[in-house]
């Protein structure tokens, strides 16, 4: 069976950085499933798989095409029930939905202001033009103005991790003794920043760093196959 995972990259195709595709990469590894990684630029997304998606990740699993990292995780859970669970039951699915909402509205909303220009600078020229136009329309200002906001966001970011930090005093992963999809959701956001930006997102001595390092080591060090910026 052919599995292809479409993700984002810039000029260097070996440095794929989509936070949502990283969730899926770890989910596939969690299930012990082989796949081929296919990095694309922003402007290539509308033409992959006959315009099957407007965003990545997109997973081809045999003759099925599944967009959206959460939908992919549900597909993997249902299609391969004999392999390690990504959720540990229905409660784990509900918890992962909450973690996804928190990550997107709190962590990624802050991170994008910190790493916006770093992402822009690593893209191909055609993707830079698209990225600038689309992000400036989204923020209602220039990328340079967003970058100025990013200094305050960077300073405030450690406080945003307090719920995770407090929980990690009691257990090694959000999933408990071992990781679940909820861990991969938060990991994806921090991996996005690690790969695209040299800015110090995590503060030395923070227990979140220990958790993040454990996540980088998972599945034979999958997270370390792309080095930090």
């Amino acid at each position: 069976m052919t599995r292809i995972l479409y993700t984002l990259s810039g000029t260097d195709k070996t440095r794929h950085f989509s936070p949502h595709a990283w969730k899926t990469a770890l989910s596939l590894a969690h299930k012990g499933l082989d796949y081929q990684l296919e990095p694309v630029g922003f402007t290539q997304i509308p033409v992959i798989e006959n315009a099957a998606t407007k965003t990545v990740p997109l997973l081809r699993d045999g003759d099925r095409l599944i967009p959206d990292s959460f939908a992919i995780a549900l597909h993997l859970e249902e299609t391969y029930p004999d392999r390690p669970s990504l959720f540990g039951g229905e409660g784990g699915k509900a918890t992962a939905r909450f973690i996804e909402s928190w990550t997107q509205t709190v962590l990624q909303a802050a991170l994008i202001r910190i790493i916006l220009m770093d992402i822009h600078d690593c893209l191909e020229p055609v993707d830079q033009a698209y990225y600038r136009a689309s992000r400036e329309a989204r923020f209602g200002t220039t990328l340079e103005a967003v970058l100025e906001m990013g200094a305050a966001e960077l300073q405030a970011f450690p406080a945003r991790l307090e719920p995770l930090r407090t929980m990690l005093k009691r257990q090694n992963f959000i999933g408990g003794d071992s990781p679940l999809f909820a861990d991969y959701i938060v990991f994806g956001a921090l991996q996005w920043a690690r790969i695209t930006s040299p800015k110090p997102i995590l503060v030395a001595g923070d227990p979140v760093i220990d958790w993040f390092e454990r996540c980088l080591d998972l599945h034979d060090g999958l997270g370390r196959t792309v080095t930090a910026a």
Side-chain angles (χ1 to χ4, degrees), residues 138-174:
R138 179 182 301 178
F139 285 101
T141 188
T142 65
L143 297 189
E144 289 75 14
V146 176
L147 179 62
E148 290 183 13
M149 302 177 206
E153 290 287 357
L154 181 60
Q155 196 168 30
F157 190 75
R160 300 184 187 278
L161 293 167
E162 190 57 31
L164 178 61
R165 186 177 298 115
T166 301
M167 185 213 66
L168 290 172
K169 294 176 183 177
R170 300 178 176 86
Q171 59 201 62
N172 284 334
F173 294 98
I174 299 172

Side-chain angles (χ1 to χ4, degrees), residues 61-105:
D61 192 0
D63 60 358
R64 291 195 61 182
L65 286 169
I66 310 100
D68 181 80
S69 59
F70 210 107
I72 293 170
L74 293 175
H75 161 77
L76 296 177
E77 192 78 345
E78 293 162 8
T79 307
Y80 306 100
D82 56 325
R83 293 169 180 262
S85 176
L86 286 164
F87 298 101
E90 291 301 313
K93 291 179 185 177
T95 300
R97 286 292 189 192
F98 169 77
I99 294 295
E100 182 180 59
S101 296
W102 175 67
T103 301
Q104 292 182 353
T105 60

Side-chain angles (χ1 to χ4, degrees), residues 160 191 195:
R160 300 184 187 278
Q191 179 78 326
I195 291 169

Side-chain angles (χ1 to χ4, degrees), residues 18-96:
S18 164
H20 308 295
W22 271 104
K23 300 177 205 174
T24 300
L26 268 69
S27 296
L28 287 161
H30 186 104
K31 287 286 187 181
L33 299 170
D34 295 329
Y35 63 95
Q36 173 187 333
L37 195 68
E38 190 66 38
V40 298
F42 280 99
T43 54
Q44 293 176 289
I45 295 173
V47 300
I48 59 176
E49 295 286 0
N50 297 313
T53 185
K54 294 181 179 179
T55 60
V56 294
L58 175 70
L59 177 69
R60 171 171 284 284
D61 192 0
D63 60 358
R64 291 195 61 182
L65 286 169
I66 310 100
D68 181 80
S69 59
F70 210 107
I72 293 170
L74 293 175
H75 161 77
L76 296 177
E77 192 78 345
E78 293 162 8
T79 307
Y80 306 100
D82 56 325
R83 293 169 180 262
S85 176
L86 286 164
F87 298 101
E90 291 301 313
K93 291 179 185 177
T95 300

Side-chain angles (χ1 to χ4, degrees), residues 187-209:
F187 173 81
L190 298 180
Q191 179 78 326
W192 179 42
R194 171 182 173 269
I195 291 169
T196 59
S197 175
K199 296 183 179 72
I201 302 299
L202 300 176
V203 178
D206 191 336
V208 175
I209 293 180

